[in-house]
Amino acid sequence: MFDPVTEELIAGSPDLKSLSASELVELLTSASVEIATARLLADNLETLPDELIAVRSKMSRLADVFEAQVALGVNPERLRSIAFVAGSARQIVDRLDGLILTEERQSLLSEDCIGPDIASSLLFLASERFSDASEVGRSIRATGEENALRRLLILTLGRLARGQYEDISNTEIEQVDAGSETSEALATDLLYREILRSLITFSKFSVGHSEPGALEDVHSTLQRVISLAGPLSESLDGVADTPIVALTTFPGPHHLASLLRISLGAVADNLLVSIPNPNGTDHGAWRDWITREAKRWPLIWENHKAAIATGFLDVGSSMIMTTPTGTGKSTLSGLKIAATLASGKSVLYLAPTHALGSQVEFDLNERLSELAVAQSLDELTLDETVERLPDIAVMTPEKCFALLTFAPHLFQNVGLLVFDEFHLMSAAIDPTSPTGIRADRRSIDAMLCFLQFGQINESSDFLLLSAMISNGSELKDWLEN
């Protein structure tokens, strides 16, 4: 059920008295299998079978233990692992409850507790597993919630899990009347209102509508809610012969604020607007573009953050990316292209085919049109050679090789060469050849294009992209030498 990276994350959890971290993968997988089997065998169960009751009990205890550690800040060095296990267990509990519900499900937000769907989404955010949080977020619903404030907060928490920060930032709460009927309900709603305010403030920062100091305001607001919602004792003198101590607590707001304090901290470390200004760029141009982009995709993935931490967005840094399809190469290349454009340089993008070149041109204009316009030059004939390349020139290696030969001056201002599917330069294995390899005309042209560009423009950065190369470190040594 879990990929190797996730299994490693789970293994980072602390051992429990009767359960080691190494057993958690099998335990969580087994529980998920039993749920899937139950769904196939029966619809609309009135009650859970004994074996699923046992699974629910075990998952609930597991979630309680690990969720408490997250809320209390225990084992911060293992936070991601603990939060992911807690979120997975809480999600399983929620799915088991869903097997016996015949009516449309409603997310719970009360004086005493928060629902398992809300809790699991926040725990996944705390573990920086944003796709898992988004999946849970799609099931968070406020259907049937009569309290207007809590309904709005439930919807906001669902949007938070799905990364819809722009929508949250536009939320208006001043005119929302909770309709609280008792003093306890009123106090609860006042605490929930403060939590909602903190989410709006956080979302405004996430899409570039406020300054970094907003994060401190969010943290202090949540800390204040935790303090106010926690146990408050008051001595009631004269009521009885013996002293009476009244204890007041609001577990629902307290737990929600505790989880949000942790999860929003994790999200803040992965915001697009939190990426430092790359060295060598016009910080104003870069920041303007980042702020606009954050409205569409506010979060970066773990592998994005790791790549950015190497400094590859800085002018003068190059990278070879050989990760599989679907791991974010397009996002990272877009960031590097934007940084290059913000430095005042142009970009050369090599695509192996005309069809891919047309798609790249469309994609780049959709994402980068505020900075520059991408234009394919594949239809350009040699006698139509332009005086300068567009800010983002898209072409095949063959077209680029021809232009390098007849108009090398066009490439003097290029600050970045992106070579998509750069394995095109490699020779094919051919057992019938005396050398064991065969280099066709396309691979030769691609290699000559790459080498000649490097001679004409020695200062340009390179970004080589391929999901079909296994010797990336060798290529790195070749380029450096």
Side-chain angles (χ1 to χ4, degrees):
M1 173 181 171
F2 298 108
D3 58 75
V5 174
T6 304
E7 289 185 1
E8 183 179 356
L9 179 64
I10 295 173
S13 304
D15 293 334
L16 300 178
K17 185 176 181 179
S18 58
L19 183 66
S20 67
S22 60
E23 298 174 287
L24 286 173
V25 171
E26 182 179 352
L27 181 64
L28 293 171
T29 300
S30 175
S32 298
V33 170
E34 292 198 46
I35 293 175
T37 302
R39 283 176 172 169
L40 290 174
L41 295 179
D43 293 327
N44 298 327
L45 296 172
E46 293 184 3
T47 59
L48 289 176
D50 291 343
E51 60 271 19
L52 290 185
I53 291 176
V55 170
R56 190 190 185 285
S57 177
K58 185 177 293 186
M59 289 295 105
S60 184
R61 292 197 306 271
L62 180 64
D64 288 344
V65 172
F66 280 81
E67 189 173 328
Q69 292 189 43
V70 173
L72 295 173
V74 178
N75 280 328
E77 69 282 356
R78 296 187 178 187
L79 171 64
R80 290 190 60 216
S81 297
I82 296 171
F84 181 79
V85 172
S88 298
R90 194 63 76 196
Q91 184 182 32
I92 289 171
V93 171
D94 187 45
R95 287 174 174 173
L96 284 168
D97 291 343
L99 291 177
I100 58 175
L101 291 177
T102 56
E103 300 178 356
E104 187 173 4
R105 304 175 65 189
Q106 173 187 327
S107 300
L108 177 63
L109 203 61
S110 71
E111 292 92 337
D112 300 323
C113 64
I114 63 176
D117 49 354
I118 293 174
S120 62
S121 70
L122 297 179
L123 290 164
F124 282 136
L125 289 178
S127 66
E128 301 181 23
R129 298 297 294 247
F130 303 122
S131 58
D132 293 309
S134 181
E135 179 187 352
V136 177
R138 289 194 290 271
S139 67
I140 295 177
R141 294 185 176 89
T143 306
E145 176 57 71
E146 296 180 356
N147 183 303
L149 178 70
R150 297 185 198 184
R151 181 169 61 250
L152 180 57
L153 180 53
I154 290 171
L155 294 174
T156 301
L157 289 167
R159 294 182 182 120
L160 176 73
R162 298 191 297 272
Q164 297 171 334
Y165 304 133
E166 177 70 5
D167 292 340
I168 298 175
S169 70
N170 295 322
T171 301
E172 297 287 344
I173 65 171
E174 299 305 326
Q175 304 303 319
V176 176
D177 181 11
S180 311
E181 296 181 354
T182 66
S183 59
E184 291 83 359
L186 176 60
T188 300
D189 288 333
L190 289 175
L191 292 170
Y192 277 142
R193 182 183 289 271
E194 287 303 296
I195 291 176
L196 183 55
R197 289 185 194 278
S198 71
L199 291 176
I200 295 172
T201 301
F202 179 85
S203 297
K204 287 182 177 180
F205 171 78
S206 301
V207 294
H209 292 333
S210 57
E211 297 302 317
L215 294 181
E216 297 178 4
D217 294 339
V218 170
H219 185 272
S220 62
T221 298
L222 293 174
Q223 192 60 51
R224 185 169 65 253
V225 170
I226 293 170
S227 177
L228 293 173
L232 298 174
S233 60
E234 181 181 0
S235 178
L236 302 179
D237 298 328
V239 177
D241 294 336
T242 58
I244 296 177
V245 176
L247 184 66
T248 305
T249 183
F250 300 90
H254 185 280
H255 191 53
L256 180 59
S258 298
L259 289 181
L260 279 170
R261 182 185 57 176
I262 303 298
S263 60
L264 293 185
V267 172
D269 291 337
N270 293 271
L271 290 173
L272 188 66
V273 295
S274 296
I275 297 177
N277 297 322
N279 293 330
T281 63
D282 179 331
H283 294 175
W286 166 261
R287 190 52 49 188
D288 288 345
W289 178 77
I290 282 289
T291 300
R292 287 190 296 267
E293 281 299 288
K295 294 176 175 58
R296 298 196 311 149
W297 52 289
L299 292 170
I300 55 176
W301 298 352
E302 182 179 358
N303 58 325
H304 298 156
K305 191 165 66 170
I308 293 168
T310 67
F312 103 104
L313 294 181
D314 296 339
V315 173
S317 297
S318 298
M319 179 171 282
I320 300 172
M321 296 184 61
T322 59
T323 52
T325 301
T327 54
K329 290 192 294 295
S330 296
T331 296
L332 284 171
S333 63
L335 289 169
K336 180 64 174 178
I337 290 171
T340 302
L341 294 170
S343 72
K345 294 288 187 177
S346 61
V347 175
L348 172 61
Y349 197 111
L350 299 182
T353 64
H354 296 299
L356 182 57
S358 297
Q359 183 62 48
V360 167
E361 179 185 13
F362 176 83
D363 292 342
L364 292 179
N365 279 326
E366 187 175 43
R367 173 168 289 184
L368 297 159
S369 59
E370 300 285 350
L371 277 175
V373 175
Q375 180 182 351
S376 174
L377 299 184
D378 281 334
E379 302 301 325
L380 193 69
T381 62
L382 291 180
D383 58 352
E384 296 175 328
T385 299
V386 293
E387 294 185 3
R388 63 182 299 273
L389 293 178
D391 290 332
I392 308 176
V394 182
M395 63 187 81
T396 60
E398 291 88 349
K399 171 62 71 174
C400 182
F401 184 34
L403 288 176
L404 284 166
T405 302
F406 293 99
H409 64 279
L410 293 176
F411 299 86
Q412 294 299 323
N413 192 51
V414 173
L416 173 68
L417 168 63
V418 182
F419 199 150
D420 203 350
E421 310 291 358
F422 75 91
H423 56 266
L424 180 66
M425 292 191 291
S426 65
I429 298 176
D430 185 359
T432 64
S433 170
T435 61
I437 60 173
R438 171 179 51 81
D440 59 22
R441 178 61 181 270
R442 292 205 70 205
S443 62
I444 292 173
D445 284 349
M447 178 62 77
L448 289 174
C449 167
F450 185 73
L451 294 174
Q452 188 165 346
F453 175 84
Q455 289 183 330
I456 292 173
N457 189 332
E458 297 180 357
S459 63
S460 176
D461 294 341
F462 294 94
L463 180 57
L464 309 184
L465 310 173
S466 176
M468 301 177 66
I469 294 294
S470 59
N471 61 335
S473 59
E474 294 179 24
L475 287 167
K476 173 179 175 292
D477 294 338
W478 175 65
L479 284 174
E480 289 179 339
N481 296 327

